[in-house]
Amino acid sequence: MKKPLFTIIVISFCAATKFFAGEPTNGIVASVHPLATQAGLSALKSGGNAIDAAIAVGLTLGVVDTHNSGIGGGCFMLIHLANGKNFCLDGREMAGAAATRDMFVRNGKGDTSLSQVGALASGVPGEVAVFEYAEKNFGKKTLRDALLPAAEIAENGFPIPANYAKLIEAEKARIQKFPATAALLLPDGNPLQTGDILKQPDLAKTYRSLAANGSDWFYRGPFAAAVGDWMAASGGILTSNDFANYHIELREPISTTYRGFEIVSFPPPSSGGVHVLEILNILEHFDLKNLDDSTRLHVIAEAMKLAFADRAYWLGDPAFVNVPRGLIAKTYAAGLAQKINLTNTMALPEHGLPPDWQTDLFKKHTTHFCTADAAGNWVACTATINTSFGSKVVIPGTGVLMNNQMDDFSIQPGVANHFGLVGADANSVAPGKRPLSSMSPAIVFKNGEPVIALGAAGGPKIISAVLQEIVDMIDLGETPAQAVATPRIHEQWSPDQLYVEKKLPDDLKKNLAARGHKISELPQQAISQIVARTPDGKSFTGAADPRSNGTAEGW
Ligand code: GLY
């Protein structure tokens, strides 16, 4: 196995266009849940920095937004410190030592019901390890400071929001298979309803044990043993030893320039960072600001198609495959830009060939949150247990919902995962390997100073949402609130579709169809949060995605 040349950290949480009074100068927090935003704000107000705030947000989301993220999952955390240094903390899940390339193949065919639900679906979670590392190295508080208030919410309960209740209803049949999960979400056999109070005493106990004992309790103690025992009894492969062997990776951020700004993001196993940068490099060749709306969207969609074709072939865990750094080379983008015809879609049978494809380069349903403080620390963090309620498994006695991140591997060439993504050898299953992710936490700099932090939830649609928001803010001069609200498009090469949000104006949809795009309408795409400096640089602004119920708040 090759040693990775690049190591990283990422977390991402995003929210809606909810405005706050005044012009906050001390700091800002944006997340998908008001209680989580409040937890981050409290951390800032009680002397914490942006890192403390992000960790408080993440751990609170693990209580109030358990269908999206939690300590049974992983995260990518991108940090900019006031001293000018950037860090990528990779807390992506790792496959167990007994994982095999064909572990999801039955009767010759990849079976996504196994990679998405139940005992085989989980990798070793990385969120706890990232939060502990970030707190110890960059925070001013302790993990305990964030865990105890979150444990209190878990114990006392919180009212189930409408979107949460809908998801329980939608996943009822799969949740029923796992008694500890059903006891929590389907008390008396019926799904919790909007407004019902969800109390999680086991999760409260778990948070308190973590607060008292640190991550050893999780990775080398009773929690790892409980998971190992349940997996052994339930047909899973994860062992307590896999937990003991888990480690985060500190990776080198990747970056590119775009119209006078510097965009910094996450390297592989995030595909998001690479492809947001690759697409921006392509788009730089077009005067987007002066193109009419439909031509601009057409060009963006074609650039996405080129990048996603590359994703399917080249991207994987850099500890196992060589991901060419040439994918973000300006010269490569210049060649790809020439393939884009302004009036018609291109036929694209396969991926491109980046300049250094033969050498080692990047050797190396989810949530996004962002924070910033007056001292100059910024965090963009995307966290996930993958699809809603992850593997649907709550490990009995712990209250912890386990991820189904194994579905982010390519379980068999040509077999699409939950997000319709296909992959190749680069992203096949192997012991100790991290599945490819689309999480794309990013920080935008102007003249060396951070001015925007953003990211999104939504599988591959994360990449297109982050990309479009950067274009909307930089090329079109939109505010963060306008950028998160703008209707989105998404093109991922396979399937051959251009996904557009319903609220995209009809004339644009028609115009795009006339250019050859196969239009497919979706009610909404991705959930994103942004925090930013105001144009005068004196205060903060931010936005939580109007497609969700989050908040952005500063003080
Ligand atoms: N689990 C979705 C992603 O990481 O892309």
Side-chain angles (χ1 to χ4, degrees):
M1 191 201 312
K2 290 201 166 142
K3 277 246 177 249
L5 299 185
F6 285 72
T7 33
I8 308 178
I9 304 177
V10 182
I11 307 174
S12 102
F13 303 85
C14 291
T17 45
K18 312 271 166 58
F19 296 102
F20 34 86
E23 296 191 335
T25 54
N26 294 306
I28 186 157
V29 178
S31 87
V32 289
H33 200 290
L35 289 173
T37 301
Q38 277 306 317
L41 215 52
S42 298
L44 286 177
K45 287 181 176 175
S46 57
N49 62 15
I51 291 90
D52 300 305
I55 291 164
V57 170
L59 288 170
T60 306
L61 287 173
V63 172
V64 298
D65 197 50
T66 54
H67 52 90
N68 277 323
S69 68
I71 62 173
C75 64
F76 289 153
M77 184 178 252
L78 173 61
I79 298 175
H80 172 76
L81 293 183
N83 65 13
K85 293 194 174 139
N86 297 322
F87 293 88
C88 284
L89 310 191
D90 174 350
R92 188 68 166 161
E93 292 84 343
M94 265 171 60
T100 61
R101 184 188 172 88
D102 293 331
M103 65 184 277
F104 297 111
V105 177
R106 298 290 182 273
N107 301 319
K109 181 131 185 52
D111 182 349
T112 54
S113 71
L114 298 172
S115 60
Q116 292 176 8
V117 181
L120 289 174
S122 301
V124 182
E127 188 180 272
V128 167
V130 160
F131 286 176
E132 187 176 73
Y133 183 93
E135 192 55 271
K136 276 191 180 150
N137 289 279
F138 310 124
K140 292 166 80 176
K141 292 172 163 270
T142 64
L143 208 54
R144 190 170 182 276
D145 291 329
L147 282 161
L148 294 184
E152 219 161 287
I153 300 174
E155 194 155 65
N156 297 333
F158 69 97
I160 293 277
N163 66 325
Y164 197 132
K166 268 191 210 146
L167 287 170
I168 301 175
E169 181 69 49
E171 295 295 343
K172 183 177 167 188
R174 304 210 257 187
I175 289 170
Q176 262 166 346
K177 295 181 184 164
F178 306 100
T181 322
L184 208 56
L185 302 174
L186 311 171
D188 307 324
N190 295 316
L192 287 171
Q193 304 290 308
T194 306
D196 285 351
I197 302 298
L198 174 58
K199 294 187 180 183
Q200 301 167 87
D202 286 344
L203 186 60
K205 232 173 15 180
T206 291
Y207 269 38
R208 290 201 172 106
S209 298
L210 253 180
N213 304 298
S215 71
D216 270 355
W217 179 86
F218 189 87
Y219 289 106
R220 277 164 283 277
F223 184 81
V227 177
D229 289 349
W230 185 85
M231 290 288 173
S234 311
I237 59 162
L238 285 188
T239 64
S240 56
N241 218 26
D242 290 327
F243 273 69
N245 288 333
Y246 186 82
H247 54 277
I248 67 164
E249 295 281 0
L250 294 179
R251 301 194 187 273
E252 278 298 319
I254 54 172
S255 67
T256 194
T257 53
Y258 183 70
R259 305 200 204 282
F261 290 81
E262 186 189 13
I263 319 294
V264 174
S265 192
F266 230 76
S270 162
S271 65
V274 169
H275 296 306
V276 167
L277 304 191
E278 179 183 0
I279 297 168
L280 287 172
N281 286 343
I282 297 170
L283 294 179
E284 205 167 45
H285 294 271
F286 299 86
D287 183 10
L288 295 183
K289 193 162 126 189
N290 292 311
L291 292 180
D292 65 81
D293 287 350
S294 52
T295 306
R296 190 179 67 253
L297 291 179
H298 164 72
V299 168
I300 291 172
E302 292 292 270
M304 286 176 185
K305 191 195 288 180
L306 288 159
F308 272 94
D310 283 345
R311 183 192 192 279
Y313 185 76
W314 292 111
L315 270 282
D317 181 345
F320 288 75
V321 294
N322 297 332
V323 182
R325 187 180 277 277
L327 288 167
I328 56 170
K330 295 282 187 190
T331 48
Y332 180 52
L336 294 181
Q338 282 180 359
K339 295 185 177 191
I340 297 179
N341 173 319
L342 288 186
T343 48
N344 290 103
T345 56
M346 74 183 98
L348 186 64
E350 60 175 13
H351 59 88
L353 222 49
D356 55 357
W357 66 278
Q358 287 169 306
T359 60
D360 292 350
L361 291 160
F362 276 119
K363 270 191 166 189
K364 14 70 222 155
H365 279 12
T366 310
T367 187
H368 180 84
F369 42 93
C370 336
T371 61
D373 65 34
N377 302 297
W378 291 60
V379 177
C381 183
T382 310
T384 187
I385 55 172
N386 198 19
T387 61
S388 300
F389 302 105
S391 64
K392 322 296 183 258
V393 172
V394 167
I395 302 295
T398 70
V400 175
L401 202 41
M402 293 294 288
N403 68 83
N404 59 345
Q405 226 69 250
M406 296 296 282
D407 191 56
D408 274 349
F409 281 115
S410 169
I411 64 166
Q412 196 182 34
V415 173
N417 75 356
H418 171 83
F419 300 106
L421 293 165
V422 290
D425 279 351
N427 190 33
S428 59
V429 185
K433 193 173 177 183
R434 295 169 193 236
L436 197 55
S437 171
S438 296
M439 296 191 290
S440 322
I443 301 180
V444 178
F445 294 78
K446 181 80 182 169
N447 301 325
E449 293 298 325
V451 290
I452 303 167
L454 75 167
K461 296 184 178 76
I462 292 173
I463 297 175
S464 40
V466 170
L467 180 271
Q468 283 167 91
E469 287 170 352
I470 292 174
V471 166
D472 288 349
M473 288 186 281
I474 292 182
D475 290 86
L476 307 184
E478 290 185 1
T479 63
Q482 290 167 327
V484 289
T486 297
R488 298 179 180 134
I489 62 167
H490 173 74
E491 157 72 71
Q492 64 179 44
W493 179 60
S494 174
D496 180 18
Q497 295 281 320
L498 179 62
Y499 299 99
V500 302
E501 286 189 324
K502 262 204 165 75
K503 62 184 173 180
L504 190 79
D506 285 340
D507 59 322
L508 288 183
K509 288 178 205 157
K510 275 190 200 136
N511 195 306
L512 288 164
R515 291 169 201 253
H517 294 282
K518 294 180 186 142
I519 304 288
S520 182
E521 278 191 349
L522 292 174
Q524 60 177 50
Q525 301 186 167
I527 306 290
S528 168
Q529 269 64 244
I530 303 176
V531 297
R533 277 283 182 198
T534 49
D536 64 7
K538 289 186 179 151
S539 54
F540 292 105
T541 183
D545 200 310
R547 297 161 188 80
S548 184
N549 305 313
T551 48
E553 286 197 54
W555 72 295

